[in-house]
Amino acid sequence: MRLVHLDLKGAAPRVSYLEQVFPLLSQLGANGVLIEYEDMFPFKGELEILRSPYAYSEEDIERIQQLAEQHKLEVVPLVQTFGHVEFILKHQRFQHLREVERFPNSFNPHVPDTLALLKSILSQVVEKHRRSTWIHIGADEVFHLGEGMDSKNWMSHNKGDVGTMYLKHIKEVLGFLTAQFWGLRVLMWDDMLRKISVGALRGEGKGQHGGTCARLLSCTRSVPTLAGMVPSASRSPCLALGESVLARWWLSLSLSLSHRYDHYSVLCELLPVSIPSLAICLQTLVNGGFTEEAKRKVLDVLGLESVQLEQSTCEGRGVFPGVEIYHMVEQVNGHLKESILKALEEESAIKGWFSPYHRKRQFGNPRNMESFGSKVLKLHEDWESFVRELRAQLERIYFPDTVEEWMEENVNPYLDQLRELVRDYR
């Protein structure tokens, strides 16, 4: 299995964009998509509170699966069952389920309501993915596990450690899934398992799910990883192959496209900007290395002229979905800040005759102001025109909240300075 992990917390694309992306993934060698919906899933009933205002509809979920089937991509839904549950535990209704009261990261595994809630979440997700033969239960980065009073008391009374406690909760989740959904196979991340002693794994392996834990034990001894691309919070369009974010897990290998590192962090790189890196990673997996054949395939499919891994650059206009955004983000990262700061800080007439002091008191010499006015007005007009087109392109792919956040983080900190200068000048 070569899975592309779509981590949708923060920049979930419209289904119309997935219609363009799924055939590309298939062309490049993926045979599945691991979808971490988080608040984009159309939860119902008491779980409706978890939904984003822009959550996919039930029809959208069905359409996504139809698209995947059409392009021979297996859908594996991912439901976090231990850590990375900020989108749940941020709500007052579920605060009592936190491992540590003031942190919304991880579940308290000792409160019965935790497993009851997880059963409800898992059931709703599985029910909408009846074609899927796999489910991923996450279970990575369970921050602060063992620090809550309930956990400390449990470890004290049961002569256990954090690893044993972690496995106990995983066993309960697996027990529910295997009993409720016969034949459904389970995947999970391995980072927490790597911290657990072999003895603890062996001890847990004597229980009902001994076979599962025995496999976990064999896997955690040596789990190969592939250095791959993860979109960062502040990275220009590039082909970064230096971060180890791809975990091999039994039969699967997942390329992770994170939209946020967690529910509260800033946005990572946008999906259209990440496509060249994703293409290189997928073809590297297919060919066992970034061979000349892999390179030719990437260039052909994406419509590029060349890629330079060492310089993290690619040349050519490109024909992949969202390529316009790729090039426009490149302009923002490479020129927006530089051009505005140059105008504000290097123009002597601005520094000498239109300082913050002058602007605050609306006091200035028209002769000196006219020496820089036309240049500043032209720069402002050019960037405003560019940003209008960028916003239009973003709105074709993303929902309004994503567009606004991306603009606030990447454009407005610089363009607002220019806007304020032009306002004061006028």
Side-chain angles (χ1 to χ4, degrees), residues 147-168:
E147 295 178 16
M149 284 308 301
D150 287 345
S151 288
K152 290 177 180 177
N153 290 335
W154 186 90
M155 288 187 289
S156 174
H157 293 146
N158 293 275
K159 297 180 180 178
D161 59 14
V162 172
T164 305
M165 190 168 60
Y166 173 85
L167 289 173
K168 177 179 178 294

